[in-house]
Amino acid sequence: MEKDRKKLLISGIAGLAVVGAAVFVSAQIIKATNQPSFCGSCHEMKPMVETWKESSHFGRASCVDCHLPHDNIFNYLAVKAKSGIKDFVGHVFHEGYMNDPEHWIEKRKEREHYVFVSNCKRCHSVLPDNFFHRQLQRGEIQGDCLTCHWDVGHGPSLEMKIGEFFGEEETVSPTTSPEDSSNLKNVNVWESDCAKCHNGQAASSEKELKEKFKTPEAFVKAAKESKHPLMAPYKNNEESLRKAAEEIYEN
């Protein structure tokens, strides 16, 4: 009987040690794979890490702070495992989309599937008091954080970095530098830039702008005279504004 108790005690201690070691190792793996340096170790993620370092979130929020849910540990680990397996398979077996710049740019347009707005609210629990936030809180406009602040995680230069990295510079978006018009010929300015805010929720839609400003010239003039802070980078780039006007008024 005494021997059985000793065996049971030893087995219990050994079991706890194994479980403890497994938990410790798992925690270290999770911690290591949560680092931006780990994410950037796959070559196709380098533009994302580089642009994150240039963004307003660098030093404040890392990859997992935005791209994984934090509502509970089980959901966090489930999404982390699912995303990790998908990225690992794509990286190891060189699936075409992993090296396709258009894939990554298209995914940015679907940002609501890859960034959790609940995480924005987790950090920004108190919103600055401004016109748009007051409208949003009153339910007068539709949308969420990503509707307006779509570029805070990687800055406006992500498309340019992706194009450079994958060797397709024509992928460059005018958001990369409002003062640089060298790539406008190959870009739909309205769709790739303006429409991100002018969607009828955060700001006037294409239809509403055309009703308000009857001609492309009136549209450009109003844009150049706009006092909205988000328009500041674009006001002096008349060529870009004229191309955007050309695109929406020809429809």
Side-chain angles (χ1 to χ4, degrees), residues 108-155:
R108 197 180 200 194
K109 295 177 183 177
E110 301 171 12
R111 52 194 172 272
E112 67 275 7
H113 299 304
Y114 303 98
V115 179
F116 293 84
V117 172
S118 57
N119 291 337
C120 305
K121 296 176 180 177
R122 189 167 59 93
C123 291
H124 302 280
S125 56
V126 178
L127 296 177
D129 184 27
N130 63 42
F131 175 73
F132 284 108
H133 287 158
R134 289 196 296 273
Q135 277 195 312
L136 184 64
Q137 289 167 340
R138 291 195 297 262
E140 295 173 5
I141 58 174
Q142 300 300 312
D144 55 37
C145 310
L146 299 175
T147 307
C148 295
H149 305 287
W150 56 271
D151 65 343
V152 295
H154 296 278

Side-chain angles (χ1 to χ4, degrees), residues 5-128:
R5 285 180 179 175
K6 282 186 178 180
K7 285 182 180 178
L8 186 60
L9 180 61
I10 292 170
S11 297
I13 293 172
L16 287 173
V18 170
V19 171
V23 169
F24 176 78
V25 170
S26 298
Q28 293 305 305
I29 291 173
I30 291 170
K31 182 179 179 181
T33 56
N34 278 353
Q35 303 304 312
S37 56
F38 176 82
C39 301
S41 63
C42 290
H43 79 281
E44 59 271 8
M45 286 293 177
K46 291 191 185 300
M48 291 63 170
V49 174
E50 286 179 14
T51 51
W52 166 70
K53 288 180 178 178
E54 297 171 358
S55 77
S56 60
H57 275 46
F58 179 59
R60 295 184 175 91
S62 65
C63 313
V64 298
D65 290 323
C66 298
H67 296 294
L68 289 180
H70 290 261
D71 52 346
N72 64 71
I73 186 64
F74 301 106
N75 194 27
Y76 178 93
L77 292 176
V79 175
K80 181 178 176 66
K82 180 181 176 182
S83 301
I85 291 170
K86 181 182 177 183
D87 290 344
F88 175 78
V89 171
H91 176 76
V92 171
F93 294 99
H94 304 291
E95 291 191 11
Y97 75 86
M98 297 299 279
N99 292 314
D100 179 7
E102 292 298 332
H103 162 79
W104 293 110
I105 291 171
E106 284 300 313
K107 290 304 177 192
R108 197 180 200 194
K109 295 177 183 177
E110 301 171 12
R111 52 194 172 272
E112 67 275 7
H113 299 304
Y114 303 98
V115 179
F116 293 84
V117 172
S118 57
N119 291 337
C120 305
K121 296 176 180 177
R122 189 167 59 93
C123 291
H124 302 280
S125 56
V126 178
L127 296 177

